[in-house]
Amino acid sequence: MQSALWGNFKARFGWEALAFEVQWETGGNVSATPLLALRRSFSLGAAIHFSLIYIPWGPQLPTAVPVHTDAERWAALKELAAALKGHVPPDTVFIRFDPPWYTAEENPPEEPAAAFVPEAQIPPPFVRASADVQAPDTVLVDLAPPMEDILARMKPKWRYNARLALKKGVTVRRAAAEEMSVFYDLLKETAERDGIAIHSAEYYRTLLDRGKVAGGCAAADTRLYLAEHEGDVLAGIVTLFRGREAVYLYGASSGKKRSLMSPYALQVQAMQDAKDAGCAEYDLFGIAPSSDPSHPMAGLYRFKTGFGGKIVHRPGSWDFPCRPIVYRLFRTAEARRRALRKMLLSFRKKLAH
C-alpha cells in the first residue's frame, strides 16, 4: 500500500496520490525513504472546504535510523508528522497513519487470548482513530521453505481440506480480467450472506487491470483465481504479488457445494504461485486480534490461522490533528457515520438470514 501502484489505483476513486521523499538524519548521515500519502477533499457548500491525509502502512523506517522500541518509533513518527504538516495543503484537518511495525505471535494458543494493545505510550497529539482503516492483525505465511514444509506447518485439517477439494474434482485456475464479473457475482452473494460492505464492480475490475502496469510497477501482478466444480464456480480470490510480498486482498464464495472445501484449495494454489513468482511472504490480510469467538471476525481468525503462519499485530489507525477544533467535529461525524453503517449492515445480515 506504499507503492506507486496503489496510489495510481486509488486516484481513480476519489483520492489524490501525493508522493514524498522522507530524509532521516542520524549521526550526520542521511537516509531517504519514499512515502505515499492519499488525500481526500470534502466540501460543505461553496465556502467550506477541507481535506484529510491518509498514509497506509507507512512510513517504512530505514534500517539506519536507530528505532528499536515502540517509544522510539512513535517519536520518529511524531517528528515526521510535524514536518509533513508543513508540506500538505493548508485545509488538511488531520493526517491518519497506519504504522507498519508490528509484534508477532508464533503458534497461537487454542484458547482465546487477550486482544492486542500497543504497549508504547503514544505521544500527543496522536489520537486513536474512531475505527481502523486496515485490519491491524493478520497472518503472514513464510514462503521460503519447500512447499511440502509449508503444507506441513498447516493444521492437519487444513491440509486435508485442500487435498479433499482436488480429490473431489475441484479445479483452481487463474482467471482472465474479463471474468471479474463472475467474481463480483460471488462477492455480492457473500456480502448478502455475511452482512458486509463491498465496493462497486468497477473498483475490483480497475484493480485487476491496473495491477499489471500501474505507476511503472511492472513487477506488480494482481491475479484473480477461481475454483470450479462441474461447471459451477464455487469461490474466488484476488491476490497481489509485488517483490517479496504476496497479499490475499479479497475473497468470495458461493453457497453451493460448500462441503468441497474450495477456499482451502484456492489459498494453497495462490501460495504455490506466489512462491514460484519469487515472493517470500504471503499475507492473509486481516483477522480478529485474538481467538475470541464473539468477535465479528472470529471466522476469519479460525480460517486464516490454520494455514500455519505467524500472527501479526500492528498498532492500527492513529490521527495527527492539524486543525484540532475542526478535527473534533469531523471525528464526531465519522463515529456517527460508522455507527449508522454498522447498524445498516447488521439489518442487512438479518434480512439475508
Side-chain angles (χ1 to χ4, degrees):
M1 290 190 174
Q2 275 295 304
S3 67
L5 180 154
W6 197 254
N8 183 288
F9 166 62
K10 296 299 285 186
R12 287 288 305 273
F13 297 95
W15 295 87
E16 178 187 1
L18 306 176
F20 296 93
E21 181 183 80
V22 183
Q23 295 184 345
W24 308 85
E25 184 175 355
T26 306
N29 297 318
V30 176
S31 302
T33 58
L35 182 72
L36 171 68
L38 300 172
R39 177 176 180 253
R40 195 70 178 256
S41 299
F42 301 89
S43 296
L44 298 176
I48 302 176
H49 305 275
F50 62 95
S51 63
L52 62 87
I53 299 288
Y54 172 53
I55 299 177
W57 286 352
Q60 291 290 341
L61 301 175
T63 55
V65 176
V67 284
H68 306 296
T69 67
D70 276 347
E72 290 172 328
R73 294 186 184 100
W74 282 102
L77 186 64
K78 180 178 179 178
E79 185 177 353
L80 169 64
L84 193 61
K85 180 180 176 181
H87 293 275
V88 297
D91 67 351
T92 300
V93 176
F94 64 92
I95 304 171
R96 176 165 293 173
F97 291 89
D98 266 325
W101 54 79
Y102 61 79
T103 60
E105 174 186 352
E106 302 279 359
N107 302 316
E110 294 296 331
E111 295 300 319
F116 171 73
V117 178
E119 296 180 359
Q121 295 295 318
I122 311 302
F126 283 109
V127 178
R128 191 72 161 94
S130 58
D132 294 316
V133 181
Q134 309 298 335
D137 311 284
T138 188
V139 177
L140 302 179
V141 176
D142 182 7
L143 298 179
M147 197 63 199
E148 294 77 11
D149 292 347
I150 295 173
L151 288 167
R153 294 177 182 179
M154 297 180 187
K155 291 182 179 180
K157 186 67 173 178
W158 271 243
R159 291 195 303 275
Y160 173 82
N161 286 344
R163 289 165 176 163
L164 175 69
L166 300 180
K167 183 178 180 180
K168 294 293 186 179
V170 174
T171 59
V172 175
R173 65 181 177 87
R174 182 180 179 182
E178 294 74 21
E179 297 177 89
M180 178 53 76
S181 60
V182 177
F183 174 77
Y184 194 69
D185 287 341
L186 287 175
L187 196 61
K188 288 190 293 184
E189 181 180 343
T190 303
E192 292 173 1
R193 181 177 65 240
D194 297 341
I196 59 175
I198 60 175
H199 297 286
S200 67
E202 183 63 19
Y203 184 93
Y204 303 99
R205 188 176 299 112
T206 302
L207 176 61
L208 197 63
D209 289 341
R210 295 207 163 205
K212 298 176 179 61
V213 297
C217 297
D221 186 6
T222 308
R223 302 187 178 197
L224 169 64
Y225 290 92
L226 296 176
E228 299 164 316
H229 181 264
E230 297 179 349
D232 294 320
V233 181
L234 304 184
I237 61 174
V238 176
T239 65
L240 193 150
F241 302 167
R242 181 176 181 267
R244 68 181 303 276
E245 295 178 301
V247 185
Y248 161 43
L249 291 175
Y250 302 106
S253 63
S254 169
K256 299 177 182 177
K257 304 179 182 179
R258 297 180 71 85
S259 63
L260 295 183
M261 305 298 173
S262 55
Y264 296 84
L266 276 169
Q267 293 296 341
V268 170
Q269 184 63 58
M271 290 180 198
Q272 177 68 71
D273 288 358
K275 181 176 175 63
D276 293 343
C279 298
E281 197 170 67
Y282 187 84
D283 187 345
L284 283 153
F285 206 63
I287 59 171
S290 75
S291 56
D292 180 359
S294 66
H295 194 281
M297 296 174 69
L300 290 177
Y301 184 96
R302 289 191 299 271
F303 176 67
K304 294 181 180 182
T305 56
F307 288 101
K310 64 182 178 183
I311 295 180
V312 160
H313 305 287
R314 294 187 176 91
S317 300
W318 291 81
D319 297 340
F320 184 90
C322 300
R323 300 173 64 185
I325 295 176
V326 182
Y327 171 72
R328 286 195 290 271
L329 295 174
F330 183 92
R331 182 178 174 82
T332 299
E334 184 181 43
R336 289 177 178 174
R337 177 179 176 273
R338 290 184 183 277
L340 177 60
R341 181 182 176 186
K342 184 178 181 180
M343 182 180 68
L344 291 174
L345 287 175
S346 177
F347 180 67
R348 284 177 54 191
K349 188 172 183 178
K350 290 178 180 179
L351 288 179
H353 289 288

